[in-house]
Amino acid sequence: MIIVLDKKYSEKSLERIKQVVESSGYNLNITEGNDKIALMVIGSPVNIDKSLFMAIDGVETVIPVSGKTGLTGKTDYDHKSIVTLKNNVMIGRGFTMIAGPCSVETEKQMDEVSYFLNTQGVKILRGGAFKPRTSPYSFQGLEEAGLKLLKKYAEKYNMAIITEAVDEVSLDLVSDYADIIQIGARNMYNYSLLKKSSKKPNPILLKRGMSASTDDLLSSAEYLLAGGNNNVILCERGIRGATGIKDTYVLDFNGVDELQTKTHLPVIIDPSHAAKYKNRVFRLAKAAAAYGSDGMMIELHPDPQSALSDGAQSLNFDMFEKLMKSIAILNGLNDGH
Ligand code: PEP
Ligand code: MN
């Protein structure tokens, strides 16, 4: 366990921490960083209640570092992974925006969307070619023809591609085209797909299942790392809660914080699939920017009314442009807490 203290701590706080640690039979090892102090509790103090420390003035966070956290767990308080794509696009350093339509549909749609995103400085293009739809009667995606369109326009506008693999067959195809393979919420528990994905050279974005705990998500990510793929990004996309609104999810900000505390992997937020309607996506995205994370993934469409999937939650270009301006301001205001 590592207790991270703000450098402006008082001696009284440090004394109180020592008291709690020593009365539980452990010792402290103190390391001074530039603006933070890390207090390493020696031993395996899984039995000390984190909230005993969180109540003390100056304590910023408590990181559970022990043999049990596996490959996804932090080994130090500032342990943080960065996923680097072609053209030096990075996820995990600063804020990264990923955007694009829910589904790849036509040449015109992909040309318009990628041209527009390029003008907005977005460097990672999303678009589904294999769609995991709730209804078997809904549009299921263009499959390889969709991957070809994605590649054509990502290359034209110098963007990296993220697209979803829904099973082991699509995984091989997606791996040939994508810079990042997306494993969706419905497949977070698909351990055979995770094992197979762990052997691919592509980075992987793993979305949290809609009924999964953050620890379940970390266990699934552990499969990817254990299989040898260290380039993993986690994504909070909303979980089922008591909103009482059909097909709407609760974006779990506490879960984002929990993940940021426990793992060195980058964590991004998808407000589109949580909020369901564009006005709510817009507001939730601003809240997410204020909250702080490694990035966001947003759905947009040149003509949301004609979208073959998720049109109601797709932003139009005007809204997206407005959102990018708000996010830039909110990111500037973010003080790291
Ligand atoms: C998506 O990103 O297109 C998608 C289907 O998301 P999720 O897996 O979170 O539902
Ligand atoms: Mn979608």
Side-chain angles (χ1 to χ4, degrees):
M1 178 182 269
I2 297 172
I3 301 155
V4 181
L5 259 185
D6 191 289
K7 258 210 162 156
K8 288 181 230 114
Y9 72 96
S10 66
E11 279 303 320
K12 217 170 120 204
S13 296
L14 188 56
E15 272 317 303
R16 175 81 192 120
I17 294 170
K18 274 190 182 151
Q19 224 175 45
V20 177
V21 170
E22 283 163 12
S23 66
S24 312
Y26 301 102
N27 290 311
L28 272 186
N29 187 350
I30 304 180
T31 319
E32 283 207 32
N34 283 341
D35 55 351
K36 309 245 184 284
I37 297 194
L39 310 172
M40 181 83 167
V41 185
I42 314 292
S44 190
V46 279
N47 51 342
I48 307 185
D49 180 3
K50 168 176 167 172
S51 40
L52 290 174
F53 302 113
M54 290 303 286
I56 299 172
D57 270 355
V59 172
E60 293 212 336
T61 187
V62 176
I63 302 169
V65 175
S66 79
K68 282 193 172 166
T69 51
L71 300 169
T72 53
K74 289 186 175 176
T75 53
D76 203 350
Y77 79 97
D78 57 359
H79 183 189
K80 175 111 204 175
S81 293
I82 296 170
V83 175
T84 306
L85 311 175
K86 67 177 187 203
N87 306 338
N88 247 7
V89 176
M90 286 182 207
I91 303 174
R93 179 183 289 174
F95 179 90
T96 307
M97 176 59 88
I98 301 171
C102 178
S103 299
V104 177
E105 298 167 0
T106 62
E107 296 262 358
K108 183 170 179 285
Q109 170 223 26
M110 290 313 295
D111 199 8
E112 286 176 8
V113 127
S114 358
Y115 169 81
F116 169 73
L117 289 174
N118 192 38
T119 66
Q120 296 296 304
V122 176
K123 299 204 159 34
I124 308 178
L125 175 66
R126 67 148 285 149
F130 295 89
K131 296 302 304 174
R133 304 304 301 281
T134 303
S135 164
Y137 309 115
S138 303
F139 177 60
Q140 303 287 312
L142 295 180
E143 304 190 347
E144 191 168 9
L147 296 175
K148 289 200 163 106
L149 281 180
L150 251 183
K151 195 173 166 70
K152 177 171 170 186
Y153 291 101
E155 273 174 6
K156 181 167 176 190
Y157 297 103
N158 196 24
M159 297 174 83
I161 295 170
I162 174 166
T163 189
E164 181 165 354
V166 290
D167 53 26
E168 297 183 16
V169 176
S170 56
L171 179 68
D172 287 335
L173 261 176
V174 163
S175 169
D176 289 341
Y177 289 85
D179 297 286
I180 306 174
I181 299 170
Q182 178 171 321
I183 305 285
R186 291 159 189 80
N187 266 319
M188 190 210 82
Y189 286 116
N190 186 340
Y191 300 120
S192 66
L193 184 62
L194 294 173
K195 279 188 204 168
K196 198 155 180 242
S197 308
S198 76
K199 302 297 174 202
K200 295 293 184 193
N202 324 56
I204 294 173
L205 178 106
L206 179 63
K207 296 186 97 175
R208 178 179 175 188
M210 44 278 256
S211 304
S213 67
T214 49
D215 280 343
D216 289 345
L217 174 60
L218 290 175
S219 288
S220 292
E222 192 74 24
Y223 268 90
L224 298 172
L225 272 70
N229 194 327
N230 296 316
N231 290 307
V232 177
I233 306 140
L234 303 177
C235 180
E236 163 63 32
R237 48 80 72 210
I239 51 172
R240 288 206 189 281
T243 61
I245 310 168
K246 190 175 172 292
D247 294 333
T248 304
Y249 300 92
V250 179
L251 194 86
D252 182 15
F253 285 116
N254 290 331
V256 170
D257 187 62
E258 188 75 2
L259 292 169
Q260 287 168 331
T261 306
K262 286 185 171 168
T263 181
H264 54 91
L265 300 173
V267 181
I268 70 160
I269 294 176
D270 169 357
S272 300
H273 289 88
K276 179 127 169 113
Y277 299 118
K278 59 181 179 301
N279 292 342
R280 290 182 186 160
V281 172
F282 187 81
R283 297 175 73 182
L284 197 55
K286 286 195 289 181
Y291 194 80
S293 69
D294 295 304
M296 235 181 259
M297 182 158 78
I298 306 254
E299 286 185 349
L300 82 166
H301 196 284
D303 179 24
Q305 310 174 71
S306 73
L308 296 179
S309 62
D310 287 348
Q313 72 195 34
S314 299
L315 303 187
N316 59 33
F317 290 178
D318 284 349
M319 283 181 101
F320 187 84
E321 194 170 346
K322 218 167 135 199
L323 179 62
M324 287 297 274
K325 288 192 178 126
S326 301
I327 287 177
I329 295 168
L330 289 162
N331 280 338
L333 291 178
N334 213 305
D335 56 8
H337 287 278

